[in-house]
Amino acid sequence: VDAERAAALIAIDWGTTVARAYRLDASGALLATRSADLGIQRVTGGAFAAALGALLGDWEADAVPRIACGMIGSRQGWTEAPYVECPAELAAYAGAMVRTPGGELAIVPGVTCRDATRVPDVMRGEETQLLGAVSPDEPRVLAVLPGTHSKWALVEHGKLVAFATYMTGELYALLLEHSILGRMAAQRTTDEADAGPAFLAGFDRGSGAGALAHILFGARTLALAGELAPHEVRDWISGALIGHEISGARIWASRFGADTERVRVVGAPTMVERYMAGLARAGIAAESGRADAAAQGLWLVAGRAGLVH
Amino acid sequence: VDAERAAALIAIDWGTTVARAYRLDASGALLATRSADLGIQRVTGGAFAAALGALLGDWEADAVPRIACGMIGSRQGWTEAPYVECPAELAAYAGAMVRTPGGELAIVPGVTCRDATRVPDVMRGEETQLLGAVSPDEPRVLAVLPGTHSKWALVEHGKLVAFATYMTGELYALLLEHSILGRMAAQRTTDEADAGPAFLAGFDRGSGAGALAHILFGARTLALAGELAPHEVRDWISGALIGHEISGARIWASRFGADTERVRVVGAPTMVERYMAGLARAGIAAESGRADAAAQGLWLVAGRAGLVH
């Protein structure tokens, strides 16, 4: 990271709660990163131009193209970039970008798909991370992007073939903040590992058969029985939800003939660690994707669209 | 219901949010019912005697035994009535009742069980409803008591053999009040049936394979795609959760060799209607249990304990 070198592209991953800007040089190398709590939910009255200025600071002076992905292209964002349909690849994203009215940003579209029962699914931002995390040379990769709404995706030679969303992170927050389970949970002590015994016990429970609505009640009954300490409740619930997700996603991926014995985990280090631990527990070979996947993906779309050369 | 006839027993179903009192005559017939928002969560500083007075009103003058079941016997209630272990039957409940310190009430214990992986489950109050809803003459009944924490139970000749809890009602409330799905939901218009097309569409989705965390996201994507109207979102989510519960509970019950093609639904009419509609959709013969199951169950325990003759 070298802030002095000349920028060739400003790339922004602009989500619901956070906006993250990357300054890239002419070789696509990452020079610097800035982030702000200026996700689209926190920008009021459509003041996106001002939010962009606050996010970029003195980078505004860079006379280089700007590209963004994520919820900034949703109906609630700056300018709507309609979904492209799955299967989708680099050329489709580059060809379907939408500019903000003042020309401030080129926005990468999200992707939509339909499952066997015609229920749709959507992503915005993760399609770009996947471009950065999976090389076009790779014949077939099963990837997970953990988060509030975790995405599992099957990518073949750079083409997004299918994906499915799991509300794992949102359910975790709801249960901890508002449910009877959350009332039994105490903060973890700081010297405990993120993916320790309580996480793994919850993971095993969540990975097994049974309805999630029943599995989760185990956090209450184990705590009532004194078999789960208050400071372990959070990790147990996190493990149960992630176990449930991984178990369900493997069944989902197997429908596409995917090898579910190997999974790439792409995302923030804390979440990646938990998923890696869970995948290892399930006997699945896990590898972590590059940390700057979004920046790399935006660089590739910008290149394909002729914004950089 | 005849309020003038002499009472032989005051029976109380005292739960977390509501307390419901029944006045029964010497034949066990229900004379009258009173309820108050005096569940144990709403009684502060241990003022249970005052709450009992407020609930009973002039019934306090009845010089008859009083019996209660439900969360009033929990650690957070008036006096803890330790759980009896499953399998459990009438004699076990009657023999393990606990009196409040001032002798105001005899409290029926709850029940605990362990599944194949030794994770415990618990109920308080539903064991008494089951006594009232299933005759000892019936060889084997699979029953569901819908609610915040739905209970599925297998009863053989009056004996509770196994049960499992599903946090269906609590998840529904969490999702509607606090999740991204709730923000997409509008109130239903009043002329729609409780178990109409949106409920059944959600039910079908929830009954199918797939992780619940993925299934639920369908409410968002279908709404985004304009294929689910805002006023249909609540029913769709309700259907998905109930479908997921019924589907999981059938697998659970089949492990005990239960006939899962016939289910008795015991509870409040609104919830019973939804479960009956869901069961019918799944091709399962459903029958509703008697509405006064709790009163009847309390009468039976009181008789066995010699409180009434």
Side-chain angles (χ1 to χ4, degrees), chain A residues 114 165 170 180 214 221 227, chain B residues 114 120 165 170 180 214 227:
Chain A
R114 299 248 175 196
T165 303
E170 181 161 7
I180 195 168
H214 172 60
T221 54
E227 292 163 30
Chain B
R114 299 249 176 196
T165 303
E170 181 161 9
I180 194 167
H214 171 60
E227 292 164 29

Side-chain angles (χ1 to χ4, degrees), chain B residues 43-50 77-78:
Chain B
V43 176
T44 53
F48 291 106
W78 194 338

Side-chain angles (χ1 to χ4, degrees), chain B residues 181-207:
Chain B
L181 307 183
R183 290 201 288 278
M184 313 195 76
Q187 289 301 327
R188 286 195 300 139
T189 56
T190 49
D191 58 350
E192 286 168 87
D194 248 351
F199 174 86
L200 293 174
F203 184 89
D204 291 345
R205 180 75 174 166
S207 305

